[in-house]
């Protein structure tokens, strides 16, 4: 009874005291981050030790304050400290909202924390928590910790995402390149090669990345060409004092060490080629076909970043961030490469490839904050990606080609392919934000992109009886293969993309619970393509080559017209085909115009519900004109499609608790064909051929997609999350890459059926297993798993090109049923020595690379597990030594053809069974990659 009385007295006293005191409440927002809530900022009563920190939503509260006038200090690392006087009245709450912005007078050690704010895992998880769509991001801090060197590697750490082994092709929820969009600071990016819709994410060095976000559900501000998701790369900015970082390092590949590396003649060490202004025929006469040696096989890495900020007047600030990086690497592959079609075509059971890659990146980001209400930014990015690849196919003297003419058994076939690819990308953007009033805010961007993607002077030489080269008998030699003039050739290809793009978004905040967005985004894109081949016509049959390592001795200008002639498909008017320059062989030009208006509303009902309905009206026009060989004479040479789309969407978020969300999304989107899919030009690799199909622009000219998503997410603690989601997509009139049932096996794009269904489940967990006394993680782990089931119906297709299937349905091309990403991080602290060790694992299961037609089986990309170890060593605040070992498991990389049958004699000669469930079209190991890097911060 006594305890009850004491409790009553205590509660009564507290109640009376509460009536005599007041409170200060409010919300902190971040001017540097689009006025988003600012968590973990300090709120202190000046002259006292009384204070709090803002919560994850930027809210703060100071209770039990006696009536009077107080000076409140608001501070955050690297931001201006703001002081405000507040009058507190008894029994009342005084509301004070504060807009925080970065300081240009921060200390060096503070600068690092300031620039990392929007790059940290915690900040990005908060962004994910508050997002109105299902979105996941990975920031520069996590990229550094996991040793991720580019954007392609970055997105694969996000649940439901994998990439094509050995390339930058990204798959989201099992859907590949054609179902994705890639943006840079919210503006579209062009593709850098004809086989892709999106730019190769390998080209985006982590040095230019602040964070990479993947939005998996549709909202009205995204382009309507959306199915799997939108990948947005956000460029790094700087907001603090002067800094300078310098990194130097080296890398090697276990397969490449000790090999005598070779590259294409005429290419520079930094990946530039200086003969574009010359006529291709002049290049042929002046330069030979043999590759040239490279000294060593150690790659180098180096970059520097520099930034500074200046106060201009009382309100303005200018911030500049620039970075430049160069990296080179070597890779050696040896294994089997083949093309197996309706009839066995070309099989090299022993082949080798030497690859020498160089990437140069430079970026400048200039931000001018005019005042607290207006900010404008200029971003310029340059990327030069260059790859030398020298392939020698059939090095065992057992290469097989069913079209050989010198031998009855068709063995002894050999091909040498020497090619250089250079992609130069220029991206220029002007971006800005303006607060027009308390209710109106404007966000805008304008960009121009330019891509120059070239293959200058590819040299391809084919031989027969190559086994004679290996028999140590000088009286027997290989001979030139001469079925047609272009079996031995020089090849030149140019692609030029230019694109203007823009976005404008006007937001109107009617109240705290209702906000409207009205906007426009659009793009005007143009592509031109041309190629030209010069064939080497070997004049005499069975012409021998004494030294296959010295083709230049044969293809000399002295032997022109004596031992060989050059030949073109299209001679210049009034001239002959032989030993003279010619016209372009294949050309096409394409135009794409997309303009859209959209509107959505963000409507909050109470503390729990958020509804985001939206509608997008998009005008789409695409046309292609082409002049290519090997098409029927009555083909019109052009096609065009024009459509207007009405695309509704709704995103719903229900806050189960402060830390748990339930999300639902439904939308209608489309998938439009790309230039590479509709241009009928055929690109010939050594062992496969890929071409487009202009019929894709006929009715229907697009695929319609219905998207449904449901997701539960629990933000357990800072940097910790558990989420599970399910998704379903119905794709009407899907497009697939199909391997034709003919002698060449040319792969083309077709609308292969009326419908495809995609269903999947995603699970993600991140957990801090061991923490120190400051709640910082010492040992943490994360894993995400995605299961995807796809099914599409198949039908016979007739038109410019035809295809048919021996089955009624199949899985969708590019879809992996299982994706796994996992990592473990250990980060102890020993004084100033702060090592971080990471073990990072990823896996994708088998997926269809191209559908087989007729009796021809599918081409399957076999599943690949990868394991990387990254060790970062912060010696002190200025110096780091970092090391990594990647691709530790060194799995076999394979593409196989299913259900292959061989003639019994051929099967015996190849040493295989005549009927196989699968036959390797490519099979090799990439080797283990190791690197070490030294980093110094000034």
């Amino acid at each position: 009874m006594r305890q009850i009385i004491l409790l009553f007295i205590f509660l009564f006293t507290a109640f009376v005291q509460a009536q005599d005191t007041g409170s200060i409440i409010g919300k902190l927002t971040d001017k540097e981050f689009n006025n988003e809530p600012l968590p973990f900022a300090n709120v202190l009563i000046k002259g006292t030790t009384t204070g709090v920190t803002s919560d994850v939503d930027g809210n703060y509260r100071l209770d039990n304050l006696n009536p009077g006038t107080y000076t409140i200090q608001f501070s955050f690392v690297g931001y201006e400290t703001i002081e405000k006087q507040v009058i507190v009245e008894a029994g009342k709450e005084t509301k004070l909202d504060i807009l925080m912005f970065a300081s240009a007078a921060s200390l060096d050690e503070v600068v690092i924390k300031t620039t990392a704010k929007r790059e940290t895992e915690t900040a990005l998880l908060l962004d994910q928590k508050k997002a109105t769509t299902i979105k996941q991001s990975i920031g520069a801090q996590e990229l550094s910790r996991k040793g991720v060197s580019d954007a392609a590697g970055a997105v694969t750490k996000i649940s439901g995402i994998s990439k094509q082994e050995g390339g930058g092709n990204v798959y989201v929820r099992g859907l590949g390149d054609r179902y994705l969009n890639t943006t840079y600071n919210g503006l579209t990016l062009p593709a850098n090669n004809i086989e892709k819709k999106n730019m190769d994410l390998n080209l985006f060095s982590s040095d230019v990345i602040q964070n990479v976000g993947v939005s998996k559900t549709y909202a009205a501000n995204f382009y309507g060409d959306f199915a799997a998701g939108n990948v947005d790369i956000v460029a790094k900015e700087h907001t603090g004092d002067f800094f300078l970082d310098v990194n130097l390092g080296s890398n090697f590949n276990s397969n490449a060490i000790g090999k005598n590396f070779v590259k294409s003649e005429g290419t520079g060490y930094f990946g530039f080629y200086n003969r574009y202004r010359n006529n291709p025929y002049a290049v042929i006469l002046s330069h030979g076909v043999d590759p040239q040696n490279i000294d060593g096989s150690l790659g180098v890495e180096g970059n520097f970043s520099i930034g500074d900020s200046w106060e201009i007047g009382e309100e303005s600030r200018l911030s500049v961030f620039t970075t430049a990086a160069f990296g080179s690497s070597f890779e050696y592959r040896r294994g089997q490469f083949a093309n197996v079609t309706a009839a066995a075509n070309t099989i090299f059971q022993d082949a080798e490839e030497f690859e020498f890659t160089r990437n140069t990146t430079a970026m400048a980001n200039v931000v001018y904050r005019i005042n607290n209400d207006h900010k404008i930014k200029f971003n310029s990015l340059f990327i030069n990606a260059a790859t030398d690849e020298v392939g020698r196919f059939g090095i065992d003297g057992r290469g097989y080609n069913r079209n050989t003419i010198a031998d009855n058994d068709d063995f002894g076939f050999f091909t040498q392919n020497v090619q250089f690819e250079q992609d130069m990308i220029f991206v220029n953007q002007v971006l800005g934000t303006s607060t027009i009033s308390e209710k109106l805010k404007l966000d805008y961007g304008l960009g121009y992109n330019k891509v120059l993607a070239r293959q200058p002077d590819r040299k391809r030489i084919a031989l027969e009886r190559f086994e004679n080269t290996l028999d140590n008998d000088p009286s027997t030699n290989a001979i030139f293969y001469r079925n047609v003039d272009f079996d031995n050739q020089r090849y030149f290809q140019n692609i030029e993309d230019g694109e203007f793009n823009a976005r404008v978004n006007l937001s109107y905040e009617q109240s705290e619970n209702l906000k409207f967005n009205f906007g426009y985004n659009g793009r005007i894109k143009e592509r031109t393509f041309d190629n030209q081949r010069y064939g080497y016509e070997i004049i005499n049959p069975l012409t021998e080559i004494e030294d296959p390592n010295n083709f230049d001795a044969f293809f000399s200008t002295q032997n022109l017209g004596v031992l060989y002639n050059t030949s073109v498909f299209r001679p210049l008017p009034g001239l002959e085909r032989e030993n003279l320059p010619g016209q372009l062989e294949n050309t096409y030009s394409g135009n794409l115009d997309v303009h859209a208006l959209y509107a959505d509303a963000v409507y909050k009902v109470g503390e729990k519900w958020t509804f985001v309905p939206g509608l997008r009206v998009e005008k789409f026009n695409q046309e292609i004109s082409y002049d290519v060989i090997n098409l029927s004479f009555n083909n019109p040479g052009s096609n065009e499609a024009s459509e207007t789309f009405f695309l509704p969407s709704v995103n719903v978020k229900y806050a189960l608790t402060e830390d748990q969300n339930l999300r639902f999304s439904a939308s209608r989107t489309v998938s439009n064909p790309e230039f590479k899919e509709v241009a009928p030009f055929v690109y010939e690799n050594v062992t496969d051929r890929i071409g487009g199909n202009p019929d894709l622009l006929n009715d229907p000219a697009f695929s319609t997609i219905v998207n449904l998503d449901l997701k539960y997410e629990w933000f357990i603690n800072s940097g910790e999350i558990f989420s599970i989601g399910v998704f379903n997509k119905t794709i009407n009139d899907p497009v697939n890459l199909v391997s034709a049932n003919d002698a060449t096996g040319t792969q083309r794009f077709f609308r292969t059926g009326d419908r495809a269904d995609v269903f999947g489940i995603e699970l993600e967990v991140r957990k801090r297993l061991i923490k120190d006394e400051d709640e910082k993680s010492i040992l943490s782990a994360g894993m995400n798993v995605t299961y995807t089931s796809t099914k599409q119906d198949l039908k016979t297709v007739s038109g410019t090109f035809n295809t048919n299937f021996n089955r009624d349905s199949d899985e969708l091309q590019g879809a992996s049923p299982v994706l796994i990403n996992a990592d473990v991080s250990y980060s102890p602290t020993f004084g100033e020595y702060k090592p971080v060790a990471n073990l990072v694992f990823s896996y994708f299961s088998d997926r269809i690379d191209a559908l087989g037609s007729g009796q021809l089986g599918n081409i399957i990309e076999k599943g690949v597990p990868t394991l990387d170890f990254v060790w970062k060593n912060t010696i002190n605040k200025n110096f780091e030594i970092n090391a990594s070992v990647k691709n530790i498991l060194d799995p076999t990389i394979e593409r196989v053809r299913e259900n292959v049958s061989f003639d019994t004699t051929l099967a015996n000669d190849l040493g295989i069974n005549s009927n196989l469930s699968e036959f390797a079209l490519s099979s090799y190991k990439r080797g283990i990659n190791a690197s070490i890097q030294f980093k110094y911060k000034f």
Side-chain angles (χ1 to χ4, degrees):
M1 183 67 177
R2 181 183 177 189
Q3 292 174 333
I4 296 175
I5 293 173
L6 290 174
L7 178 62
F8 175 78
I9 293 172
F10 172 78
L11 293 175
F12 178 76
T13 302
F15 174 76
V16 172
Q17 185 180 17
Q19 299 304 304
D20 294 333
T21 61
S23 301
I24 302 173
I25 65 170
K27 185 173 186 176
L28 304 185
T29 52
D30 187 353
K31 184 64 180 177
E32 307 302 325
F33 196 22
N34 298 323
N35 297 329
E36 288 290 317
L38 181 64
F40 315 132
N42 297 315
V43 182
L44 181 70
I45 300 176
K46 187 175 181 179
T48 74
T49 58
T50 301
V52 295
T53 59
S54 58
D55 64 16
V56 294
D57 295 314
N59 297 313
Y60 74 92
R61 185 182 188 94
L62 293 166
D63 286 320
N64 299 322
L65 302 178
N66 292 322
T69 301
Y70 295 85
T71 299
I72 311 299
Q73 288 183 333
F74 302 89
S75 62
F76 186 78
V77 177
Y79 279 52
E80 292 281 4
T81 296
I82 296 175
E83 295 186 358
K84 293 288 185 179
Q85 281 195 341
V86 183
I87 298 175
V88 174
E89 298 181 27
K92 293 185 178 180
E93 291 182 344
T94 302
K95 187 174 182 181
L96 179 61
D97 295 334
I98 297 295
L99 181 67
M100 303 287 288
F101 52 89
S103 168
S106 305
L107 300 175
D108 286 345
E109 58 267 24
V110 169
V111 173
I112 300 168
K113 297 178 182 177
T114 302
T115 56
K117 176 182 177 292
R118 283 163 287 170
E119 304 170 355
T120 63
E121 294 171 72
T122 299
L124 292 172
L125 280 178
L126 291 174
D127 183 47
Q128 178 180 333
K129 176 183 176 182
K130 293 189 282 286
T132 56
T133 60
I134 296 178
K135 176 184 177 182
Q136 289 174 268
S137 300
I138 182 168
Q141 187 184 80
E142 189 175 355
L143 298 182
S144 176
R145 178 171 64 82
K146 295 180 178 179
V148 177
S149 59
D150 53 56
V155 296
T156 60
K157 309 309 175 189
I158 294 173
S159 63
I161 301 181
S162 66
K163 76 181 184 75
Q164 188 176 39
E165 189 58 33
N169 238 356
V170 170
Y171 297 83
V172 177
R173 291 174 163 180
L175 298 177
D177 177 68
R178 74 177 319 275
Y179 294 107
L180 298 177
N181 285 321
T182 304
T183 54
Y184 180 60
N185 298 319
L187 293 170
T188 56
L189 281 171
N192 63 291
N193 92 37
I194 60 170
E195 296 184 15
K196 294 180 182 179
K197 167 187 174 184
N198 295 277
M199 184 176 289
D200 190 335
L201 295 182
N202 281 341
L203 302 180
F204 282 88
S205 165
S206 58
D207 302 295
V208 306
I209 298 172
Q210 182 161 278
N211 64 69
V212 181
V214 179
S215 297
K216 300 177 184 176
T217 57
Y218 183 70
N221 61 300
F222 293 127
Y223 283 92
D225 189 357
F226 183 108
N230 186 89
V231 178
D232 186 41
I233 302 166
V234 178
K236 278 188 178 180
E237 292 183 22
H238 176 66
T239 56
D241 257 353
F242 173 83
F243 83 98
L244 172 63
D245 289 353
V246 177
N247 301 340
L248 293 173
S250 182
N251 63 77
F252 70 88
N253 176 274
S254 61
N255 287 354
I257 290 295
K259 297 293 188 298
N260 295 319
F261 253 78
V262 287
K263 71 176 185 68
S264 180
E265 183 273 335
T267 64
Y269 180 80
F270 290 97
F272 291 92
Y273 182 83
N274 298 315
R275 298 174 185 165
Y276 291 118
R277 294 181 180 273
N278 298 325
N279 184 281
Y281 193 64
V283 173
I284 291 172
L285 295 181
S286 304
H287 302 280
V289 300
D290 290 326
Q292 64 179 199
N293 294 323
I294 306 175
D295 293 332
S297 55
L298 282 177
V300 299
E301 303 169 4
N303 70 74
F304 75 89
S305 300
I306 186 171
D308 203 355
S309 296
W310 300 270
E311 295 288 346
I312 303 175
E314 294 184 358
E315 292 187 303
S316 300
R317 186 179 75 247
L318 179 67
S319 300
V320 177
F321 172 76
T322 61
T323 182
F326 172 77
S328 64
S329 62
F330 295 82
E331 184 171 304
Y332 174 79
R333 302 179 288 269
R334 185 167 182 174
Q336 176 166 300
F337 295 83
N339 183 24
V340 178
T341 59
N345 198 10
T346 308
I347 301 171
F348 301 105
Q349 290 182 298
D350 194 4
E352 62 182 359
E353 291 182 321
F354 300 84
E355 183 177 292
F356 176 38
T357 302
R358 290 88 83 205
N359 286 317
T360 304
T361 305
M363 186 193 77
N365 210 358
V366 181
V367 182
Y368 180 51
R369 192 188 75 195
I370 302 170
N371 52 41
N372 287 341
D373 294 325
H374 304 283
K375 182 169 72 172
I376 191 167
K377 177 169 63 176
F378 173 72
N379 183 274
S380 183
L381 174 69
F382 168 73
I383 298 173
N384 183 69
T387 301
D388 271 293
E389 190 174 273
V390 177
R392 302 174 74 244
F393 302 84
I395 57 177
D396 60 348
R398 297 281 298 159
Y400 172 84
N401 186 323
R402 71 180 182 88
N403 293 318
T404 55
I405 56 177
D407 296 285
N408 293 327
D409 61 6
D410 295 331
F411 281 91
F413 190 70
F414 171 89
T415 297
Q416 176 175 283
N417 188 74
V418 180
Q419 70 182 53
F420 172 71
E421 297 185 22
Q422 182 181 15
D423 302 325
M424 289 194 291
I425 300 107
F426 304 85
V427 180
N428 293 283
Q429 299 178 341
V430 177
L431 310 161
T433 57
S434 292
T435 301
I436 301 171
S437 66
E438 289 186 1
K439 294 182 177 293
L440 281 175
K441 295 179 182 178
L442 182 67
D443 183 10
Y444 58 90
L446 177 67
Y448 177 70
N449 306 323
K450 189 76 171 180
V451 173
L452 302 173
R454 294 153 164 169
Q455 280 189 21
D457 198 11
R458 185 190 72 193
K459 303 112 174 174
R460 186 172 295 171
I461 305 298
L463 305 177
E464 294 185 67
R465 296 180 180 172
F466 189 71
E467 70 276 10
N468 291 341
T469 301
L470 308 176
D471 62 8
N472 295 319
D473 183 352
S475 65
T476 60
N477 296 299
I479 63 171
F480 283 104
Y481 179 53
R482 61 181 299 276
N483 191 25
V484 297
D485 291 351
F486 294 90
D487 290 323
N488 301 281
Q489 60 172 258
R490 306 280 283 267
Y491 176 90
F492 301 80
Q493 175 179 292
N494 298 288
I495 305 171
E496 185 173 324
D497 268 8
E499 177 179 332
F500 288 97
N501 49 62
R503 60 175 174 83
V504 179
N505 187 86
L506 181 66
S507 65
Y508 174 70
E509 188 171 352
Q510 181 171 317
S511 66
E512 289 187 0
N513 296 324
L514 182 60
K515 176 181 176 182
F516 295 97
N517 288 291
F518 305 95
Y520 160 86
N521 53 5
R523 56 191 304 206
I524 301 173
K525 177 180 178 180
E526 181 178 359
R527 168 176 291 181
T528 59
F529 166 91
D530 66 70
N531 85 302
Q532 193 171 11
R533 284 187 300 173
Y534 285 87
Y536 282 127
E537 176 193 357
I538 310 302
I539 295 176
N540 297 315
L542 306 181
T543 297
E544 294 188 354
I545 176 70
E546 294 183 3
D547 185 2
N549 294 314
N550 186 12
F551 288 118
D552 289 347
F554 182 87
F555 294 108
S556 65
T557 54
Q558 291 82 0
N559 290 334
L560 180 64
V562 179
L563 299 179
Y564 72 94
N565 295 315
T566 63
S567 178
V568 295
F569 257 100
R570 295 180 172 177
L572 291 170
L575 298 180
E576 300 295 325
R577 296 176 63 244
E578 294 183 346
N579 301 330
L580 289 168
Q583 299 186 76
L584 297 175
E585 184 176 329
N586 297 283
T587 63
Y588 74 78
S589 61
N591 292 282
L592 174 68
D593 293 344
V594 179
H595 302 280
L597 297 174
Y598 66 84
D600 68 33
V602 181
Y603 180 46
K604 296 181 180 180
V605 181
E607 298 294 327
K608 300 288 187 180
W609 290 95
T610 303
F611 296 89
V612 187
L615 176 65
R616 180 182 183 88
V617 180
E618 183 172 281
K619 177 66 175 178
F620 161 84
N621 181 267
Q622 183 176 1
E623 57 187 35
I624 185 116
S625 299
Y626 50 89
D627 183 8
V628 300
I629 62 175
N630 298 328
L631 277 182
S632 60
F633 70 92
N634 60 349
N635 190 282
S638 63
N639 210 344
E640 182 178 5
S642 184
E643 302 287 344
T644 300
F645 306 123
F646 293 86
L647 306 175
S649 63
V650 61
N651 287 275
V652 181
K653 182 175 73 172
Y654 177 69
L656 296 167
T657 68
E658 184 178 346
D659 299 317
Q660 299 179 63
N661 293 326
L662 187 64
R663 299 177 181 273
F664 170 76
S665 175
S667 62
R668 177 182 183 268
T669 58
V670 295
S671 176
N672 301 317
E674 286 299 304
F675 293 137
K676 56 123 180 187
E677 296 177 337
V678 299
F681 162 74
V682 175
Y683 182 83
E684 297 184 18
N685 291 305
V686 174
T687 55
D688 60 28
R689 297 159 47 93
I690 299 178
N693 181 1
D695 294 347
L696 294 183
L697 287 178
N698 292 336
D699 188 27
F702 58 94
S703 305
T704 59
I705 305 166
V706 177
N707 310 277
L708 298 172
D709 287 83
L710 182 65
K711 184 177 183 180
Y712 164 78
E713 54 190 14
W714 177 21
F715 298 89
I716 305 168
N717 281 306
S718 176
E720 298 182 339
I721 186 175
F722 170 81
S723 69
I724 186 169
V726 295
F727 58 90
N728 186 85
K729 298 179 183 294
T730 300
I731 305 173
N732 297 301
D733 304 301
V735 172
N736 286 265
L737 183 64
V738 180
S739 185
N741 184 31
D742 58 27
T744 65
T746 300
Q747 299 172 31
R748 293 190 186 272
F749 296 89
F750 292 92
R751 296 196 185 277
T752 51
D754 297 321
R755 173 171 171 165
D757 292 292
V758 181
F759 173 79
I761 302 174
E762 288 181 324
L763 172 69
E764 181 179 17
V765 179
R766 293 193 212 176
K767 181 65 177 174
R768 296 186 297 172
L769 304 176
I770 301 176
K771 296 176 283 187
D772 62 17
E773 63 272 11
D774 296 324
E775 294 296 308
K776 293 182 179 179
S777 176
I778 296 176
L779 181 66
S780 63
M783 182 178 71
N784 58 73
V785 180
T786 303
Y787 170 75
T788 306
S789 173
T790 65
K791 184 178 180 180
Q792 62 176 326
D793 62 274
L794 299 175
K795 65 181 181 182
T796 298
V797 182
S798 299
T800 303
F801 305 102
N802 306 316
T803 192
N804 61 83
F805 301 95
N806 62 355
R807 56 204 184 281
D808 296 327
S809 63
D810 211 329
E811 294 180 348
L812 199 63
Q813 177 216 340
S816 289
V818 178
L819 301 174
I820 301 173
N821 297 302
D823 68 274
V824 177
S825 178
Y826 179 59
S827 52
T829 299
F830 306 99
E832 285 194 325
Y833 176 48
K834 299 176 181 180
V836 180
N838 290 274
L839 203 59
V840 184
F841 174 82
S842 64
Y843 170 75
F844 66 83
S845 60
D846 296 359
R847 56 194 176 206
I848 297 175
D849 189 58
L851 292 172
S853 63
Q855 301 300 314
L856 208 58
N858 293 334
I859 297 177
I860 304 295
E861 184 183 0
K862 303 295 286 185
V864 175
T866 58
L867 181 66
D868 300 336
F869 174 73
V870 180
W871 187 20
K872 298 183 67 65
N873 294 274
T874 302
I875 307 302
N876 55 48
K877 66 179 183 179
N878 297 108
F879 186 51
E880 290 182 19
I881 301 176
N882 305 317
S884 67
V885 182
K886 298 185 177 182
N887 198 35
I888 295 171
L889 302 177
D890 196 14
T892 299
I893 310 301
E894 280 192 307
R895 290 171 66 252
V896 302
R897 171 81 76 185
E898 293 183 322
N899 303 321
V900 174
S901 296
F902 291 105
D903 174 83
T904 303
T905 302
L906 175 59
N908 290 334
D909 289 338
L910 292 171
I912 59 176
N913 295 326
S914 58
N915 293 289
L916 297 169
S917 59
E918 57 186 36
F919 181 79
L921 302 184
S922 62
S923 178
Y924 56 87
K925 290 181 179 290
R926 300 190 62 198
I928 300 172
N929 298 299
S931 67
I932 187 168
Q933 180 189 76
F934 301 90
K935 181 176 182 180
Y936 193 82
K937 301 177 181 179
F938 293 90

